[in-house]
Amino acid sequence: MASVRTDQKKRALVRHVPETFTRALAKYFGTGPTDVALARRQHQAYIDALEANGVRVHAIEADDRHPDCIFVEDQAVVIDGRMLLPMPGHPSRVAEQPPIADFLMAELDGVQTCTMGGEARMDGGDIIRLGDLFYVGKSSRTNELGINSLRSLLETSDMELRVIQIPENALHLTSITSTPTDEIILVPEGYLSPEDFGPLPEGCELIWIPSEEAYGCNTIGLPNGKVMVAKGYPTVHQALRERGLELIELDMSEIRAADGSLTCCSIFY
Ligand code: GLY
């Protein structure tokens, strides 16, 4: 998940692909998945890659009532021993949360947990973290009240929160950015501008990627220094290799078809 530092990615929660995956929401990168068996193979390759690179993975059973249930990132935000259980921004996704919350509360025994009430809405996919600097997307899924809940969670820490307005042609902040290391943010041209991010901490940089590779900007940096990337985004791959990073390429075609990216499929805790 995007809310932990790279060195904290020791354990990940994922959820298997439901039989109903072809009915997952799709409006941005995808027009909807068509091949559940292929999606399952791609999802298993994702799990295998995490495990082969030192991450302990726990997989929750799929729930056919919830076509989007593999996208666990949206359902819980774990930050340094605290957890926010957001109210998901799309009504069809609200009931995905209870088994994820139950698992994380049991695993993170005694974790300080905040929930959202009233009109507050947030998808975890609107959060990225660069060291102790957080960015949250204000999007069709995340509103000002939801952002205030995250602000409350962070206010007793030394961490800073900045808000980025997500353009209408993107779902989440993580749909178009990621932090493959704690010093780099990948960003597609034409979606966001340097002003959206403000001044970065010393030694950090924004890497601008052509807009046609926007999907490839979502990556997962691992504690062993390797970076999980989607196959087929050569400019992203070259930019990361030039910075000495070793890549793990995964075919994400059926997951992309449901507007899902690499980070969407896990919660690091
Ligand atoms: N299909 C992922 C989402 O729209 O939340």
Side-chain angles (χ1 to χ4, degrees):
M1 171 181 262
S3 61
V4 297
R5 289 192 317 269
T6 306
D7 65 291
Q8 295 172 318
K9 294 178 186 168
K10 303 273 168 57
R11 297 179 294 178
L13 175 64
V14 304
R15 193 167 192 180
H16 288 300
V17 178
E19 202 56 48
T20 53
F21 189 52
T22 52
R23 301 210 297 269
L25 299 169
K27 180 176 161 189
Y28 298 91
F29 290 121
T31 52
T34 54
D35 188 337
V36 175
L38 177 57
R40 286 186 170 143
R41 288 198 296 278
Q42 291 177 349
H43 193 251
Q44 187 58 49
Y46 174 91
I47 293 171
D48 293 345
L50 288 169
E51 288 181 331
N53 287 281
V55 180
R56 187 152 65 81
V57 179
H58 179 87
I60 294 182
E61 280 311 304
D63 186 334
D64 291 343
R65 293 170 300 173
H66 304 303
D68 284 286
C69 69
I70 71 166
F71 301 127
V72 292
E73 177 183 52
D74 295 320
Q75 301 291 341
V77 181
V78 179
I79 301 174
D80 297 1
R82 279 169 289 179
M83 179 161 70
L84 176 62
L85 295 173
M87 176 60 69
H90 194 287
S92 76
R93 301 206 51 204
V94 172
E96 295 172 28
Q97 194 177 68
I100 293 168
D102 290 348
F103 174 81
L104 289 172
M105 282 195 273
E107 277 292 293
L108 303 170
D109 193 23
V111 66
Q112 180 195 330
T113 304
C114 308
T115 54
M116 282 187 187
E119 296 304 309
R121 297 287 179 275
M122 172 175 280
D123 281 2
D126 269 316
I127 300 170
I128 64 168
R129 176 174 185 171
L130 185 76
D132 285 338
L133 172 59
F134 283 78
Y135 292 96
V136 60
K138 192 172 170 195
S139 70
S140 61
R141 301 284 177 88
T142 298
N143 63 17
E144 196 61 50
L145 293 170
I147 291 169
N148 287 344
S149 301
L150 178 63
R151 195 172 279 121
S152 303
L153 188 82
L154 294 176
E155 74 189 357
T156 54
S157 70
D158 292 334
M159 297 180 237
E160 183 184 350
L161 179 65
R162 298 182 191 168
V163 180
I164 294 181
Q165 181 66 48
I166 302 302
E168 281 184 2
N169 60 345
L171 173 57
H172 290 135
L173 183 58
T174 58
S175 306
I176 50 173
T177 65
S178 69
T179 51
T181 74
D182 293 328
E183 290 84 32
I184 294 172
I185 306 179
L186 290 166
V187 202
E189 291 161 357
Y191 285 78
L192 298 172
S193 69
E195 292 71 36
D196 290 317
F197 292 89
L200 295 188
E202 202 179 326
C204 294
E205 64 169 329
L206 295 170
I207 302 179
W208 292 93
I209 299 296
S211 60
E212 60 270 22
E213 290 193 33
Y215 181 83
C217 290
N218 182 284
T219 65
I220 298 178
L222 296 171
N224 66 4
K226 296 184 189 175
V227 183
M228 292 166 64
V229 296
K231 253 187 194 151
Y233 300 92
T235 314
V236 172
H237 299 180
Q238 186 185 340
L240 296 177
R241 287 198 177 105
E242 279 171 4
R243 286 160 179 82
L245 296 164
E246 191 178 330
L247 306 187
I248 304 157
E249 293 187 40
L250 293 172
D251 187 347
M252 295 291 288
S253 61
E254 279 300 292
I255 290 163
R256 175 184 160 130
D259 289 340
S261 303
L262 289 155
T263 62
C264 307
C265 298
S266 51
I267 299 174
F268 289 98
Y269 62 93

